[in-house]
Amino acid sequence: MTKITRREFALLTAGASLAAASGLPRPALAAGPAKIVIIGGGPGGAAVANRLKTASPGLDITLIEPKEKYTTCIRSNLYLGGFRSFKSITHDYAGVKRRGINVVTDTATAIDTAAKTVTLARASQPLPYDRLVVAPGIDFKYETIEGYSPEAAKLMPHAWQGGEQTWLLKEKLLALPDGGLVVMSAPPNPYRCPPGPYERACMIAHFLKTRKPKAKLVLFDAKKTYSKQAVFEEAYDEYYKGIIEINSTNEIDDFDVIKVDAKTGVVTTKAGRTERAALANIIPAQKAAAIAARAGLTEGDWCPVNPENFTSTKANDVYVLGDAAIANDMPKSAFSAVSQAAVVAADIIASLEGKPRVSGKYRNTCWSMLAPENSAKIGGDYVPATKDGKPYLEVKEPFVSQPGDSAEIRRQNNQESTDWYQTMVTDLFGEPPMKAER
Ligand code: FAD
């Protein structure tokens, strides 16, 4: 047994009180050495691992993640805007390992839900499980944009998965000639982080305003309406007039990007408008990460789950959470994934102990930075319900920032988002709180 440090103890007890607040049972004594395998070390997977280990230290928990370091998409727009460093949004798994979780740096290539095993790219033997948690995030529907591909994304980064892509987009922004044109394309619904493209537009525009004042940003959108639209529109007008041009799909034109040429930088919309970008940030349509479809856990592009506890409707003893799952009104966000994780962990323990299964309540808040010290938020509670005779996760008590909010409210939102991020990554990755944003 390794000795628990004072800091680890503080983190564990913090996890326990969070668990209690979310309805997770106190340490389960009778769970025994059940094998829990978790695919994906993002907010969804890492949070389930930590909640389980805190509640039931005897469980044998394996977290499979191909990357040694996880760069969060959260705050990545602020990195583009110049408000954070790359280092401050990148986290390793040392803290997760110190909690006694077996972190395997590998890729799950197949799941056999009948034999209850997971095959890994590099391991010689499949990994058996009693309960499997699938939290692999998203992949892209590259085929929806002619000329776009993983190779083209090296020239026209999406930066919609954290890591190299995030870094690449920032490098290209830094290299942009003053007077250059940046073209962004926002994806169709549903996609990860509904307000994310518009926060990104604000952060790129802030970067241009402060570093390349002659450059411009054109945004093409496949949608007519989007999250927090009124406050974003107010911000474009107030802070970025003459820098951002927003085009969204309407009756006159169709601003869905359907074709790109990564070599020349030409971006073409459905209605035939073309722009030659000095830098293109193409965010394509999305779907659950490939392993989910390969394992037969999808219906269409995403994974159906029971809203009570995120058990898969496609396989026994399998949970799908985070961006890969169909969560109805609940948006695809890290906040959502962590909220779902508390319920998943509680239900795993209940199922192992033969206790009544969990019916969860969930919560989400998404903050977006509009300008320095100015952030807006949207969110709500989410409860299992029925819609058209089918199980459904329904929003209750939704809230959203309004245009004309005072500067003090926006400053408070901004502080909340900073504090939330630091608390979350400390909880997920076991890092000490940082004194400063950067
Ligand atoms: P991920 O974070 O994608 O993690 C999945 C992990 O699974 C990955 O690390 C991947 O490497 C791994 N994986 C995939 N396939 C396999 C496999 N076969 N085997 C093993 N591992 C695998 N959310 C917020 O709450 N607040 C924000 O402010 C916010 N801002 C955002 C800004 C931007 C620009 C973007 C793009 C997103 C933002 N989000 C935000 C959304 C948030 O990043 C996602 O909702 C969140 O990361 C989802 O967590 P996840 O665990 O489901 O998936």
Side-chain angles (χ1 to χ4, degrees), residues 38-46 64-67 70-77 93 106-109 120 135-139 159-162 192-193 196-197 199-200 289-291 294 321-324 331-337 364-368 420 424:
I38 301 171
I39 298 176
I64 305 159
E65 166 59 53
K67 298 192 295 269
Y70 180 88
T71 300
T72 62
C73 287
I74 318 151
R75 317 303 269 172
S76 66
N77 288 332
Y93 291 92
D106 208 339
T107 301
T109 52
L120 305 185
I138 59 157
D139 270 334
W160 220 244
Q161 281 166 327
R192 111 175 334 172
C193 194
E199 180 189 60
R200 178 168 291 174
I291 184 68
R294 222 176 295 139
L321 80 157
D323 288 357
K332 296 185 187 302
S333 76
F335 198 120
S336 293
N364 179 56
T365 305
C366 282
W367 292 269
S368 303
W420 166 75
M424 187 191 64

Side-chain angles (χ1 to χ4, degrees), residues 49-89:
N50 289 337
R51 297 287 180 281
L52 283 174
K53 202 65 191 172
T54 303
S56 192
L59 288 174
D60 177 353
I61 303 170
T62 302
L63 179 70
I64 305 159
E65 166 59 53
K67 298 192 295 269
E68 290 193 348
K69 288 189 177 171
Y70 180 88
T71 300
T72 62
C73 287
I74 318 151
R75 317 303 269 172
S76 66
N77 288 332
L78 279 62
Y79 162 60
L80 299 175
F83 295 93
R84 287 200 79 121
S85 66
F86 191 74
K87 192 164 166 246
S88 79
I89 56 169

